[in-house]
Amino acid sequence: MNKISVTALGNLKSFPPARDDFESAKRSAVLVPLVLNPSTGNLDVILTVRSSKLRTNAGDVAFPGGKHDPEDLDLIATAKREAFEEVGLPLDASEHLTTLYPVLSRHFQVVTPVIAFCTHLTTENIAQLRPNPGEVAAIFTTPLEHFLDPPKGSYNYFDMNWLSSPHRVHRFDNCGADNYILETSERTESSSVLQDFKQGRKGTEQDEETPFSGWSVYGLTAGVMIEVAKVAYGRPPSFLERAPDQALDMTYTAKWHNQTFARNRL
């Protein structure tokens, strides 16, 4: 592990867990599992591709995670349990570093990102993980630093209105092409995971000989990864992070959520 990665882990570990301003009993948590890439000494993140069998967000890139169960001690336990169920990451195989401010999904689910470092796993042995056939189509790793300094041609964005405010949606392409594992039923070139990529998200047919170039990380997942990388490396991204007039702080989102759902409960 190089000095930059040692410092990055130290920055995350010393980052105080974010406060939680959301007034919601229904919670979810995701695990952001960081691993060492021995060939570079840098940090990668483990991400998943959601199964085509799922009713919502099928084929999207996501973190392992899900809803808090009453049996879970806390949201850290929720994130670790879900990672075990989805990708087979043992409960004791990751060291909790910090917890970021909750984010709101497009389905208005309050999601807490739990950042962890996998102490006995590297990019070279992710085959130890096992995708849950009902939930995960693929597991891959991609460099953490790419979410601050994306390779040329691999980053894009669009601006939209979200929660009555401008909002920038980030997209990072070509992630995971050189280090991934597929769930058993997805392990052929005709599988939905690779075929959907070759055809493109918009259905544009590509040459069958086009080499697989990875997945796209966008939306909530991309936003969380930018925040993790900012804390880890102590600097802003090389691109403009926010849309013009976008609310500067996640407390705006919490306030909107609390007011909106309080009205709905009346």
Side-chain angles (χ1 to χ4, degrees), residues 189-190 194-195 198-199 205-212:
E189 283 293 307
S190 60
L194 300 186
Q195 194 64 26
K198 286 186 173 183
Q199 291 179 349
E205 193 77 30
Q206 295 185 21
D207 190 324
E208 283 298 317
E209 299 304 316
T210 301
F212 179 61

Side-chain angles (χ1 to χ4, degrees), residues 24-189:
S24 175
K26 296 181 179 180
R27 296 302 184 103
S28 295
V30 294
L31 192 71
V32 184
L34 302 178
V35 294
L36 174 66
N37 183 332
S39 66
T40 63
N42 295 328
L43 296 174
D44 274 33
V45 61
I46 298 173
L47 294 169
T48 71
V49 181
R50 288 171 59 83
S51 172
S52 58
K53 305 177 182 70
L54 295 173
R55 290 181 296 176
T56 59
N57 304 325
D60 284 358
V61 171
F63 303 107
K67 295 180 180 178
H68 175 75
D69 283 351
E71 297 79 13
D72 295 334
L73 179 65
D74 52 25
L75 290 171
I76 298 171
T78 299
K80 289 193 172 191
R81 173 183 55 76
E82 287 284 345
F84 174 71
E85 293 174 1
E86 292 184 19
V87 302
L89 182 67
L91 297 176
D92 61 354
S94 63
E95 174 192 359
H96 173 241
L97 298 175
T98 192
T99 302
L100 298 188
Y101 198 89
V103 293
L104 197 62
S105 78
R106 61 183 174 182
H107 301 295
F108 304 115
Q109 193 79 351
V110 180
V111 182
T112 297
V114 175
I115 320 305
F117 178 64
C118 300
T119 51
H120 301 297
L121 195 66
T122 73
T123 57
E124 295 179 352
N125 59 8
I126 65 162
Q128 294 179 15
L129 301 177
R130 291 291 180 267
N132 182 323
E135 298 185 70
V136 176
I139 302 168
F140 67 88
T141 68
T142 198
L144 174 61
E145 203 163 7
H146 282 187
F147 295 97
L148 291 185
D149 297 308
K152 186 177 180 179
S154 67
Y155 170 76
N156 210 333
Y157 72 89
F158 67 89
D159 293 341
M160 60 179 287
N161 193 53
W162 166 246
L163 311 183
S164 304
S165 170
H167 180 74
R168 179 154 295 178
V169 178
H170 303 275
R171 175 175 175 138
F172 300 87
D173 293 325
N174 308 327
C175 297
D178 58 353
N179 196 38
Y180 63 88
I181 54 176
L182 299 179
E183 189 273 317
T184 304
S185 64
E186 307 278 4
R187 287 181 183 170
T188 67
E189 283 293 307

